[in-house]
Amino acid sequence: MHTRQLGQGLEVSAIGIGAMGMSMSYGPNPGDRDDMIGVLRYAVDQGVTFIDTAEVYGPYDNEVLVGEAIAPIRDRVVVATKFGWDIVDGKMVGTDSRPEQIRRVADASLQRLGVDAIDLFYQHRVDPAVPIEDVAGAVGELVAAGKVKHFGLSEAGAATIRRAHAVFPVTAVQSEYSLWTRDPEAEVLPTCAELGIGFVPFSPLGKGFLTGTVSADATFGSGEIRGRVPRFQPDNLRANQAVVDGVREVAAARGATPGQVALAWLLSRHPSIVPIPGTRRRERVDENAGSTTVALSADDIATLDALAAVVAGNRYDDSGMAMVGL
């Protein structure tokens, strides 16, 4: 697999892997922890060098899982984790990006991951109660101390990115971005390109929807994140099948899968874009990695671009949308 550069010269594989689903959010958690460790190591063997986790995934369990997986291959991977939540009794009760909290989380994440330094440390969500300048300064101090190598932001707006970058260089911005979530295109992507900041799309396959494996009559349990997402409510889900149909048509013409086309479209947007699809299966690792060889024509891209116009429903509920783009 070829590599790409985020900001500040950080080089990673063109496709990363999001580890969240190995611990939470997508139905019953896998029973075999060793198998999940095996999937992560398999991904690295296939050239995937960029692994994404966070303290809140579990919470905490996912960092431990990733730490165990990378222990024998630490020199081959770039690990990203995140801070910014107030976690009480295993639940998020609000944001907390006070400098003292950032330092506490960094120390705890280093221990759980079993590493000497966090390669990329994201603020998970912007904290309205803490000036972003204070956040950037705190992470800058961690970099100076050798505990962190790079600073990132997640779901931040363009103005916040600029303010943070003026205090300490931002290496990457992570936000939801895919064929059916185009929000970053108006302001965030141009800002990142201008400032030399990499962009990391999470949910690049639309929480599995863009793979074509979610049927129009699918239902989701109470522990499933998609059960709370407006786009996956019955009427919207049926309407959104038109998006998948369009992706399938391009995929059939290119001899690729719908998921590979969705990832190839993202890769075509800018050379500093690095998607991080999540999976629990080796065959999906192979499929996602194969997206780097899918060549889309100008007509393909125009067809795919047009699909955003038919998307029904928001990507988060009201409380989730209130925390985006601050």
Side-chain angles (χ1 to χ4, degrees):
M1 184 185 297
H2 70 277
T3 61
R4 292 186 162 200
Q5 282 199 355
L6 301 174
Q8 317 311 313
L10 181 59
E11 186 171 329
V12 297
S13 53
I15 297 288
I17 185 168
M20 181 186 75
M22 293 179 172
S23 300
M24 61 178 289
S25 292
Y26 289 95
N29 291 330
D32 193 336
R33 183 183 186 83
D34 289 342
D35 189 44
M36 294 300 97
I37 290 172
V39 170
L40 287 169
R41 291 179 182 169
Y42 179 81
V44 175
D45 286 341
Q46 307 316 303
V48 177
T49 65
F50 189 31
I51 300 175
D52 183 89
T53 183
E55 63 157 354
V56 78
Y57 299 162
Y60 312 125
D61 294 344
N62 200 248
E63 284 185 324
V64 175
L65 175 71
V66 169
E68 291 180 24
I70 68 171
I73 52 173
R74 174 66 181 109
D75 60 340
R76 298 167 59 190
V77 298
V78 171
V79 178
T81 192
K82 309 176 192 74
F83 65 88
W85 295 108
D86 183 13
I87 303 171
V88 178
D89 295 331
K91 296 182 179 180
M92 296 181 295
V93 297
T95 53
D96 187 352
S97 284
R98 293 171 298 155
E100 58 268 31
Q101 173 72 354
I102 296 172
R103 291 190 287 269
R104 281 195 294 266
V105 173
D107 287 340
S109 291
L110 285 167
Q111 184 174 17
R112 286 189 290 266
L113 289 166
V115 298
D116 294 327
I118 297 165
D119 296 312
L120 177 56
F121 204 31
Y122 291 103
Q123 183 188 38
H124 210 153
R125 291 292 186 273
V126 175
D127 186 342
V130 181
I132 196 64
E133 291 81 2
D134 293 353
V135 174
V139 177
E141 291 173 0
L142 290 170
V143 173
K147 294 182 178 183
V148 169
K149 295 181 181 179
H150 294 273
F151 173 38
L153 298 171
S154 180
E155 293 279 33
T160 298
I161 295 167
R162 290 183 184 279
R163 288 169 53 201
H165 192 71
V167 174
F168 191 83
V170 177
T171 290
V173 171
Q174 179 181 131
S175 293
E176 185 169 356
Y177 184 40
S178 69
L179 279 168
W180 76 341
T181 298
R182 307 286 290 276
D183 313 46
E185 291 180 344
E187 296 184 350
V188 170
L189 288 179
T191 298
C192 288
E194 175 192 337
L195 300 177
I197 298 170
F199 189 82
V200 179
F202 71 78
S203 296
L205 297 174
K207 297 181 172 62
F209 181 77
L210 297 173
T211 66
T213 59
V214 180
S215 68
D217 58 354
T219 57
F220 308 97
S222 58
E224 248 266 32
I225 191 172
R226 289 176 290 192
R228 305 190 301 273
V229 173
R231 283 183 187 171
F232 287 92
Q233 298 308 305
D235 288 346
N236 290 335
L237 187 59
R238 284 189 288 271
N240 286 327
Q241 293 302 311
V243 178
V244 170
D245 292 343
V247 178
R248 281 197 181 107
E249 289 180 10
V250 173
R254 293 294 161 200
T257 67
Q260 288 175 329
V261 165
L263 292 173
W265 177 85
L266 280 170
L267 292 171
S268 75
R269 309 306 281 180
H270 193 276
S272 290
I273 286 179
V274 179
I276 50 167
T279 186
R280 299 173 178 176
R281 297 161 54 188
R282 287 169 173 81
E283 57 266 34
R284 289 295 188 197
V285 170
D286 292 335
E287 179 181 342
N288 294 339
S291 66
T292 62
T293 65
V294 176
L296 299 176
S297 70
D299 285 345
D300 292 336
I301 291 172
T303 297
L304 295 168
D305 284 349
L307 296 176
V310 301
V311 175
N314 277 335
R315 63 189 180 99
Y316 289 136
D317 60 17
D318 289 346
S319 61
M321 290 303 297
M323 302 190 70
V324 171
L326 298 176

